[in-house]
Amino acid sequence: MTRAIADRMVSIFGDKWSIHLLGTLAFGEGPLRFNQLMEALKPISSRTLSAELVKLAEHGIVKKEIEHASPPFSKYSLTEKGMDLVPVLKAMAEWHQKWYGKTQR
């Protein structure tokens, strides 16, 4: 792996919340609303969640869909590019379980 690739991956996934957010979207039940993500990712702040969603959307990993209901709301899900990360997330979880055991939370 080149330094440039590592730097890009760290810029996308190297903060506290990216992996949590990706896992929630990947293994949750369908697209999730902002408030559902807030609940699932406690104690994330709304500002941090918003920034994470924007960053991952800019990289084409997460998509935002606006539902034109009354009142309108947004739903978030993984794009095809984001779904390509699911095997990576599973492999990371398996690695963790092998070396650290199951962590209950």
Side-chain angles (χ1 to χ4, degrees):
M1 175 185 317
T2 67
R3 171 92 187 226
I5 291 171
D7 288 346
R8 166 77 52 94
M9 290 189 330
V10 168
S11 75
I12 298 170
F13 308 114
D15 57 71
K16 179 178 179 177
W17 292 105
S18 293
I19 300 298
H20 292 290
L21 178 54
L22 290 171
T24 300
L25 290 171
F27 304 114
E29 295 184 20
L32 297 172
R33 294 182 184 197
F34 189 88
N35 62 341
Q36 292 173 306
L37 289 168
M38 286 287 298
E39 183 67 27
L41 297 171
K42 279 184 180 178
I44 195 170
S45 71
S46 60
R47 177 180 285 180
T48 300
L49 177 56
S50 182
E52 286 295 321
L53 289 166
V54 167
K55 176 186 74 176
L56 293 172
E58 286 174 350
H59 285 282
I61 297 168
V62 169
K63 66 181 171 184
K64 175 181 179 178
E65 297 177 57
I66 298 173
E67 293 288 325
H68 299 289
S70 183
F73 61 91
S74 299
K75 296 189 305 185
Y76 299 88
S77 59
L78 296 178
T79 63
E80 181 181 353
K81 187 177 183 179
M83 290 301 292
D84 276 352
L85 291 167
V86 171
V88 176
L89 295 170
K90 286 181 179 179
M92 289 171 64
E94 289 169 4
W95 177 88
H96 181 277
Q97 189 170 342
K98 177 180 178 179
W99 293 103
Y100 297 98
K102 287 187 176 181
T103 303
Q104 299 298 321
R105 190 169 179 211

